[in-house]
Amino acid sequence: MPLSRAALGFLGLFFTASALLLMFLTILGGAKNSTPLNQIYLLQVDTSNIPGASNLSRWTFWNICRVDADGKNQCGKSYPDFPFDPPSHRNFDTTTNIPPEFVGSKHYFLTSRFIFPFLIIALFFAVVSLFTGFLAMCTRIGSYLSSLMAWVALFFQIIATSLMTAVFVQGRNRFSSNGQVAKLGVKSFAFMWTAVACLFLSCVLYCMGGAVGKQEKGYSGREHRRRGFFSTQRSRSVRSNKEANP
């Protein structure tokens, strides 16, 4: 049985809200030392041999955090759009035991700084799509408008997630090749790629909702016009026969 426009709009709304929740959890990871934000990070590295660094360091969008005995982030002052640039003064301010690929390179700094603004843009359009999603359950124009906003959010979310994956996978490999144990933050990457999937499903569902509404309206309109035309002709014919044969 085909789904109605209201059902498709509700499903699109559900996946949009799910994507937003995952995106917010990822971007806020490390912003506060509270559960679950203190368990979300982008990259963890054994930095015990780097002067001034803690035994384990975790990069987030806000800071480099140390890890406590419970395996949770312990972050200091937060800075939005915190860069991934180990030898710079923003990170460790030293080149001692830093993988040589980081030294003198702006690649990691620039790539990591672009993730945050793209993610903010994706969040903005996803929020707009969430609010217009309530209209998608009852109007065709609401479905198409929600779909447009979701497509824009998906575009920027894919860029942000791809950049995040590229720069931190490369960073992990550089530290690992330097003999320092490094691993990606499973939660943050799972959240971001799952958000991509949820936004894609939202786009498809909103489009389907708009198409279903159009088909239903067009069909009923044609049937109404056909019934109206023949009903009028029949009424005129009956009236003419009665006048001719009183």
Side-chain angles (χ1 to χ4, degrees), residues 59 67 124 128 233 235 243:
W59 276 265
V67 183
F124 171 77
V128 175
Q233 293 297 321
S235 298
E243 291 175 356

Side-chain angles (χ1 to χ4, degrees), residues 132-150:
T132 58
F134 291 100
L135 297 175
M137 292 189 289
C138 52
T139 64
R140 189 172 75 248
I141 188 64
S143 296
Y144 286 131
L145 181 60
S146 298
S147 177
L148 175 61
M149 295 297 102

Side-chain angles (χ1 to χ4, degrees), residues 107-235:
H107 165 69
Y108 300 94
F109 171 79
L110 293 174
T111 307
S112 61
R113 289 298 291 268
F114 274 107
I115 301 170
F116 194 86
F118 280 127
L119 184 51
I120 291 293
I121 297 172
L123 279 168
F124 171 77
F125 283 101
V127 169
V128 175
S129 180
L130 180 70
F131 285 110
T132 58
F134 291 100
L135 297 175
M137 292 189 289
C138 52
T139 64
R140 189 172 75 248
I141 188 64
S143 296
Y144 286 131
L145 181 60
S146 298
S147 177
L148 175 61
M149 295 297 102
W151 279 115
V152 177
L154 175 63
F155 175 75
F156 286 103
Q157 175 66 10
I158 289 175
I159 294 177
T161 307
S162 299
L163 287 174
M164 185 178 111
T165 302
V167 69
F168 286 104
V169 167
Q170 290 175 0
R172 179 201 61 185
N173 295 340
R174 298 293 179 263
F175 277 109
S176 295
S177 63
N178 198 48
Q180 294 159 293
V181 178
K183 67 175 183 177
L184 298 174
V186 176
K187 290 184 177 66
S188 58
F189 284 89
F191 289 168
M192 288 288 277
W193 282 111
T194 303
V196 169
C198 287
L199 285 174
F200 176 75
L201 289 173
S202 298
C203 295
V204 174
L205 289 166
Y206 285 139
C207 285
M208 290 174 62
V212 166
K214 184 177 181 180
Q215 291 171 2
E216 290 175 352
K217 183 177 180 181
Y219 178 76
S220 61
R222 286 194 297 270
E223 288 297 311
H224 177 74
R225 289 195 295 272
R226 289 173 183 171
R227 288 195 299 269
F229 174 79
F230 288 111
S231 297
T232 303
Q233 293 297 321
R234 183 177 179 182
S235 298

